[in-house]
Amino acid sequence: MNPVTAECYFVSLLVVLLTGCTFEADQWTTMIPAVGASSSPVATDLNGDGYLDIIIGGAAQEFDPVEASVIALDGITGDILWEVKGHNQVVGTAVLRDVTGDGTDDVFIGGRSASFKAIDGRKGSILWEYLPYDTGLDYVNDTTLLNFYTAQWITDADGDQVEDLLTAYGGFVKARRGDPNRPAGYLMILSGKTGRTISKVAVPDGKETYVSPLVHDFGAGPEVIYGTGGEDISGNLYRVALDSLLAGSLASSRIIVRGNKKGMIAPPVLTDLTADGVADIVIATVDGRLVATDGHSNQKLWSAGPAGDFDTYVMPAPGYFTGDDNVPDFFASFGKGPWPDTDYTLHVLVDGSSGAIVSSDTLGTFQYASPVVADFDADGTSDVLVCINKTTVIGSKIHSETYRSNDLYVFPGGRGPARRLLVPEIGTNLGSTPLLTDLDGDGYLDLVTAGMGDPINFYSFKLLNVKRHELDVAAATVSYGGYMGAGRMSCFQ
């Protein structure tokens, strides 16, 4: 690539895939130089103007203080509404509830080094913290200071008239690759009103935990779905009655899917594959499988995945992509080779009724942002939008530089050939799932993305760019519009 081509490639303005002759796209970019992100954006009206605003977690380098660990942006202008400082990366995605009674959603979000914050959505002030920053604590070496991931609301457990929060607490960043001597992860229930710990129970196999847990009633009362293990540590996907966790025990947990020599990282998707009215469980295991399990009987329905050495950290995207049935299908992404040595990403479409791989396509390098689903070409069929990281080598045999860019591609009907949606951006999108919504209520689809604008360093955690791209696409066509379903907590109908 010559310098002129490279400049056009990296600096071009936004180009919308489908542009009507009278359509004028609303768009903005907000750049925050000192932070990056692997959290995903969510939307709610914070300033009372009747339009949706954006909340996202921010991150600096591991263990560095973060001036903007949680960021709220005006959805119409991109202006910063408020920022909250933090002592380490916020990697979870926010969940929302109005607990102050002012008519505005408040923000609940977690991250590394035991960071979990409840924030007044209108004011940006701290309502409570699980563990406020303490200079006397050793955040680097203390194996009790683990990480919070994306939480989920449960019914009021402590009788204070406010719903409470289920979350996972685990992962120790200093653990060496392949070292099984890691602190056990926990399931925790925190008071939504005060942050008080209602329940904290170690997972039964003593392994680490990264999976954002789910709670769902499969017909016999609410159950918690949670996972253990990691990139190279074995673990399983489990289910247990919520009442057991509230009583302080996970001993009655049942294994849903075994992780073999690796574990579970991405949350599962809950959807009915058997037409029995009960949600089934679909999980992407780290060792490169997509496994569907009957939500009623716990029996395996099917297992799919590419042959060879593939891993995955990405949630599958559900949608009706193939066949004439009413069974959801799944778009899943698998990395060739274990992290951090991923050579490329393979994207596959799996038939939800049989587990057969319908199509596959190779595109991009390592990332763990999840795909999202809408009808981007107005043909009545759902399409998949995927974030792609790319590397471009510029130079000669004597001297060359590797530049990084991130792209958005649409897989029509969930299968290739993929089409580029927008002009590529400089830098990387490590794990920020795009948000599909309608910020201003005009019926057009708004696409909100977050990436880091460093063209050289993959894990730069700086030069955060949050962008709004309005598309000439009907907002009503969205069927799975963000991380974990953008507020539906991985449930799909």
Side-chain angles (χ1 to χ4, degrees):
M1 181 182 293
N2 62 48
V4 173
T5 305
E7 182 176 327
C8 294
Y9 181 79
F10 288 117
V11 187
S12 297
L13 297 176
L14 173 72
V15 176
V16 179
L17 176 67
L18 299 172
T19 304
C21 59
T22 61
F23 174 71
E24 294 184 8
D26 295 317
Q27 55 189 304
W28 50 256
T29 298
T30 299
M31 201 271 277
I32 304 176
V35 301
S38 54
S39 172
S40 300
V42 299
T44 189
D45 181 10
L46 296 175
N47 57 9
D49 65 357
Y51 303 117
L52 299 180
D53 305 305
I54 302 300
I55 304 105
I56 190 169
Q61 290 294 326
E62 188 77 41
F63 302 114
D64 284 351
V66 189
E67 286 296 310
S69 72
V70 188
I71 305 155
L73 303 174
D74 186 296
I76 304 305
T77 65
D79 293 339
I80 295 174
L81 298 176
W82 48 256
E83 298 174 336
V84 174
K85 294 181 179 181
H87 60 268
N88 205 342
Q89 299 174 341
V90 169
V91 296
T93 293
V95 294
L96 309 169
R97 276 295 186 280
D98 177 14
V99 301
T100 58
D102 65 357
T104 300
D105 279 332
D106 303 304
V107 176
F108 301 78
I109 191 167
R112 303 192 186 280
S113 298
S115 172
F116 197 102
K117 293 179 171 65
I119 304 167
D120 185 299
R122 185 178 292 272
K123 301 175 182 177
S125 56
I126 300 293
L127 298 174
W128 55 257
E129 290 186 73
Y130 170 73
L131 185 66
Y133 180 71
D134 183 345
T135 56
L137 296 177
D138 185 352
Y139 289 99
V140 178
N141 299 296
D142 189 336
T143 59
T144 68
L145 300 176
L146 305 177
N147 309 318
F148 286 108
Y149 303 99
T150 301
Q152 182 172 179
W153 292 101
I154 64 170
T155 55
D156 179 19
D158 58 2
D160 62 6
Q161 309 305 309
V162 174
E163 291 178 302
D164 299 312
L165 291 150
L166 166 69
T167 186
Y169 182 63
F172 182 56
V173 71
K174 290 193 70 176
R176 294 182 179 274
R177 186 173 179 178
D179 182 2
N181 186 24
R182 299 166 182 240
Y186 296 82
L187 291 185
M188 295 184 64
I189 296 176
L190 303 177
S191 170
K193 184 175 183 178
T194 67
R196 180 181 69 86
T197 300
I198 298 172
S199 180
K200 179 181 179 182
V201 186
V203 296
D205 57 10
K207 302 296 178 65
E208 58 191 349
T209 186
Y210 297 98
V211 175
S212 298
L214 305 178
V215 63
H216 185 78
D217 189 344
F218 294 88
E223 293 184 63
V224 177
I225 309 299
Y226 67 98
T228 64
E231 294 97 331
D232 57 354
I233 300 296
S234 64
N236 304 299
L237 188 70
Y238 294 91
R239 64 193 297 176
V240 69
L242 176 60
D243 285 345
S244 296
L245 174 59
L246 287 167
S249 175
L250 294 175
S252 60
S253 297
R254 293 179 291 161
I255 294 176
I256 305 170
V257 178
R258 295 185 183 275
N260 299 326
K261 294 182 179 181
K262 299 183 181 182
M264 311 287 165
I265 290 181
V269 173
L270 305 181
T271 189
D272 188 2
L273 300 178
T274 57
D276 62 356
V278 177
D280 303 306
I281 303 161
V282 181
I283 182 77
T285 65
V286 174
D287 67 355
R289 293 172 294 142
L290 191 65
V291 183
T293 302
D294 187 283
H296 177 70
S297 68
N298 222 35
Q299 296 297 307
K300 184 171 74 174
L301 299 174
W302 47 257
S303 178
D309 183 20
F310 285 89
D311 282 6
T312 188
Y313 313 93
V314 181
M315 286 187 67
Y320 298 99
F321 302 119
T322 187
D324 296 325
D325 53 34
N326 292 317
V327 180
D329 309 300
F330 300 90
F331 184 97
S333 300
F334 301 89
K336 176 63 174 175
W339 176 86
D341 302 318
T342 304
D343 294 328
Y344 61 85
T345 299
L346 182 70
H347 308 278
V348 302
L349 178 62
V350 177
D351 188 314
S353 61
S354 65
I357 294 178
V358 176
S359 66
S360 62
D361 194 10
T362 300
L363 194 61
T365 59
F366 176 74
Q367 57 86 28
Y368 57 87
S370 300
V372 290
V373 181
D375 183 2
F376 289 93
D377 54 12
D379 65 353
T381 302
S382 292
D383 310 308
V384 176
L385 177 66
V386 182
C387 295
I388 300 296
N389 287 315
K390 291 184 175 181
T391 59
T392 302
V393 179
I394 299 176
S396 65
K397 292 182 179 180
I398 299 173
H399 177 76
S400 63
E401 292 285 352
T402 298
Y403 292 93
R404 303 186 185 278
S405 63
N406 64 91
D407 254 350
L408 292 164
Y409 277 83
V410 171
F411 285 75
R415 64 189 79 194
R419 301 198 303 257
R420 177 177 283 154
L421 180 65
L422 304 172
V423 168
E425 301 283 351
I426 296 172
T428 61
N429 177 1
L430 181 59
S432 184
T433 298
L435 177 66
L436 302 177
T437 189
D438 184 359
L439 294 174
D440 54 9
D442 65 356
Y444 289 104
L445 181 62
D446 287 303
L447 166 62
V448 180
T449 62
M452 298 178 287
D454 187 330
I456 306 298
N457 301 301
F458 193 84
Y459 301 98
S460 66
F461 290 107
K462 61 183 179 181
L463 301 177
L464 173 63
N465 284 293
V466 183
K467 298 197 173 193
R468 174 197 183 186
H469 322 261
E470 190 174 46
L471 308 180
D472 189 7
V473 175
T477 68
V478 176
S479 58
Y480 203 75
Y483 184 61
M484 297 180 74
R488 289 184 289 182
M489 289 301 117
S490 296
C491 294
F492 178 77
Q493 295 180 338

